[in-house]
Amino acid sequence: MTGNAPTTEQVSSLLDDRDLVVVSNREPYSHEYEDGEVTVSRPAGGLTSALDPVMQSVGGTWIAWGSGDADHAVTDEDGRVGVPPESPAYTLRRVPLSDERVEGYYYGYSNQVLWPVCHLDTAKVNARDEFWQQYREANRAFADAVCGEAGDDPVVWFQDYHLALAPRFVKANRPDAFCMQFWHIPWPSRDVFRACPQYERLLEGLLGNDLVGVHTDAYCRNFLDCAAALPGATVDRATRSVVYDGHRTFVRPFPLGVDAEHHRDLARSDAASRFWREFGDRHGLADVAVALGVERLDYTKGIPERLAALERLWETRPAWRGELTYVQKASVSRGEIPAYQRLQERVRSEVERINDRFATDDWQPVVYVEDHLPQTGLAALYREADLCLVSALRDGMNLVAKEFIASQVQDPGVLVLSELTGASEELGEEALTIHPRDTHGFADAIERGLRLPSDDRGRRMCELQRQVHASDVYAWLDAQFRTVRAIRRGRQRATPPRGR
Ligand code: F6P
């Protein structure tokens, strides 16, 4: 946590001293058995790493699926455990879900219906009836946990697409709760959203919230367009709100950021330097330019497209052979879903093929890492990279781009950024913008980034850093809680005094 983090008092004041309950599918810490011992791990992914520092500063309760095999061995009889384990700052309440429920709700509806639809890949949608049933039941289980945990007048903050139905379930039981939700992935246009067979039910669920947050203005407009087509809903574009079933939901863009100071400090740490010395030696990176990619193995991230651009570069501009090494840090993700399995195999085999094609006795074109890296190891890669390649085919925001920028504490590197990311709206001017499917243009941009004069790199990075520090995760939090306060105050003013 860093100096920008709000104090507990600041947040409590914005929330008028109401309890905060965060609800997400993924938990910030999971407990696993390893050789009979219980170990703690932090799942990869933007959501949990963005919100954990916030919760550490604010306190409260975080409700999430207990997905670790030792999770329920370390909780109390109500499923609660204090985290972070080394110095507990808030309560994690774990929701147990059966294998069948996880199969249908998480691997099924969330990640084979909502994920591809929101990322405009409707050909991947696999909408089985039982997925929807399990999604409903899991949303009920989360809603029941909220009702059990929340004190009077709570602020309940749902995260993401796994929990579209829970807000209405909670509101029905607890009308005193202020429900808000942040949708971390893109919100698509109405035509695309209708690829979800239950699109109207999903909207009804979300309109149980008092506030819905998305990353960008464009997603906000898309949401309002979808809501306008829901029978019984009235959209007011001036106030960006929707009235449905007698209840008003405000919709607002809040671009998510990272804990920029924390990333900068990690990049400056001795541990990062030690990691780099060892990693750089092992892979012969001392005398080459380094390009970096960091992501979960997800078909939305454009990894094969990036490898194609690199291959084009080494093929058509052989001077870069032996001069540029690409480091891909990849994390296996959602591995039970066939589309993800295919992607994993494709990435691994493409890496092997490209390495076979170009490697020499003393140079390997692609260094591919699936092993877990410590935070300082990742910070070292960000710090030392000359280029960071972000080539998502669609991405709600993309926090890797922002982590890279925050970690540039030495000779400034260059961000090559897909125009199809939410981050491109904020960072597109000073990054080198690419279309991930334009292999030729992408290869050109890589070369241009490698040749950019140092004053140009420095100027661009300075502006990007200003942006990433000004719009960090705490600014994101602050903007949302200020909006909560404004909505609540507006409602209080609009409520006629009792008895008149
Ligand atoms: O981008 C959506 C998201 O839910 C992120 O918030 C999170 O970082 C990532 O996907 C991780 O996915 P999962 O929880 O399925 O591993």
Side-chain angles (χ1 to χ4, degrees), residues 34 37 59 65 72 90 125 189 226 234 289 298 307 317 360 404 413 463 486 494:
E34 221 177 273
E37 298 282 303
W65 164 38
H72 298 285
Y90 65 94
V125 171
S189 67
C226 290
T234 310
D298 193 297
L307 291 170
R317 295 156 234 205
T360 60
F404 166 70
E463 179 50 30

Side-chain angles (χ1 to χ4, degrees), residues 167-185:
R168 181 161 295 276
F169 295 150
V170 169
K171 211 54 170 192
N173 268 328
R174 293 292 305 270
D176 60 317
F178 185 98
C179 292
M180 58 195 282
Q181 186 144 11
F182 192 80
W183 192 263
H184 288 255
I185 61 176

Side-chain angles (χ1 to χ4, degrees), residues 10-23:
Q10 285 166 333
V11 175
S12 301
S13 133
L14 284 176
L15 297 180
D16 293 334
D17 292 325
R18 299 165 113 208
D19 285 346
L20 176 64
V21 180
V22 164
V23 197

Side-chain angles (χ1 to χ4, degrees), residues 205-480:
L206 287 165
L207 293 173
N209 283 298
D210 298 282
L211 172 64
V212 171
V214 290
H215 289 293
T216 69
D217 270 326
Y219 305 158
C220 194
R221 282 194 299 276
N222 285 347
F223 185 95
L224 293 174
D225 290 346
C226 290
L230 178 69
T234 310
V235 169
D236 177 353
R237 289 183 197 267
T239 57
R240 292 193 286 192
S241 66
V242 185
V243 176
Y244 180 73
D245 198 20
H247 175 72
R248 187 178 294 274
T249 303
F250 292 86
V251 187
R252 291 282 185 280
F254 300 108
L256 177 57
V258 296
D259 186 343
E261 284 192 22
H262 177 62
H263 285 283
R264 185 192 59 197
D265 294 346
L266 285 172
R268 285 182 177 154
S269 67
D270 292 342
S273 301
R274 279 196 300 279
F275 178 92
W276 179 252
R277 272 196 297 279
E278 199 275 321
F279 187 89
D281 277 358
R282 183 152 33 105
H283 297 290
L285 302 177
D287 299 318
V288 292
V290 174
L292 175 69
V294 176
E295 43 261 311
R296 291 181 302 104
L297 282 164
D298 193 297
Y299 53 81
T300 61
K301 301 292 182 186
I303 304 172
E305 288 73 8
R306 188 180 319 157
L307 291 170
L310 286 156
E311 181 172 19
R312 179 72 58 89
L313 180 87
W314 285 311
E315 177 185 275
T316 56
R317 295 156 234 205
W320 287 108
R321 296 184 202 164
E323 295 296 324
L324 167 69
T325 299
Y326 175 60
V327 177
Q328 173 70 59
K329 167 68 189 92
S331 316
V332 173
S333 178
R334 305 175 189 167
E336 295 196 14
I337 300 173
Y340 284 76
Q341 292 161 1
R342 287 194 294 275
L343 190 262
Q344 286 167 27
E345 283 159 23
R346 182 167 170 208
V347 168
R348 289 173 193 144
S349 78
E350 281 297 278
V351 168
E352 207 177 308
R353 189 183 58 73
I354 293 171
N355 279 340
D356 283 349
R357 179 170 177 197
F358 296 115
T360 60
D361 286 347
D362 49 12
W363 174 69
Q364 181 182 334
V366 182
V367 172
Y368 183 71
V369 183
E370 277 189 11
D371 293 343
H372 171 77
L373 294 183
Q375 281 191 317
T376 46
L378 195 53
L381 297 184
Y382 282 139
R383 182 185 81 185
E384 297 293 334
D386 298 288
L387 295 183
C388 181
L389 307 182
V390 174
S391 55
L393 305 176
R394 193 75 188 141
D395 208 333
M397 171 53 70
N398 194 282
L399 298 182
V400 164
K402 296 187 172 185
E403 290 179 1
F404 166 70
I405 292 165
S407 310
Q408 290 297 293
V409 295
Q410 290 184 344
D411 188 25
V414 175
L415 175 65
V416 178
L417 181 63
S418 162
E419 64 179 89
L420 305 177
T421 60
S424 180
E425 278 198 16
E426 291 170 272
L427 309 175
E429 292 232 331
E430 304 302 341
L432 299 186
T433 300
I434 51 117
H435 192 294
R437 292 192 169 97
D438 171 13
T439 307
H440 186 76
F442 193 171
D444 279 351
I446 296 173
E447 182 165 46
R448 183 170 165 229
L450 291 166
R451 295 196 188 282
L452 220 54
S454 97
D455 57 340
D456 196 357
R457 277 189 281 126
R459 187 196 52 73
R460 285 169 186 267
M461 190 46 71
C462 189
E463 179 50 30
L464 289 169
Q465 291 196 326
R466 192 200 56 71
Q467 169 76 32
V468 163
H469 280 268
S471 306
D472 68 359
V473 64
Y474 301 112
W476 174 76
L477 178 80
D478 188 70
Q480 282 170 94

Side-chain angles (χ1 to χ4, degrees), residues 25-26 44-48 106 111 115 119 160-162 184-185 296 301 333-334 395:
N25 170 65
R26 186 62 68 190
L47 184 155
T48 49
Y106 172 73
N111 287 315
W115 181 268
H119 289 88
D160 234 345
Y161 57 102
H162 315 84
H184 288 255
I185 61 176
R296 291 181 302 104
K301 301 292 182 186
S333 178
R334 305 175 189 167
D395 208 333

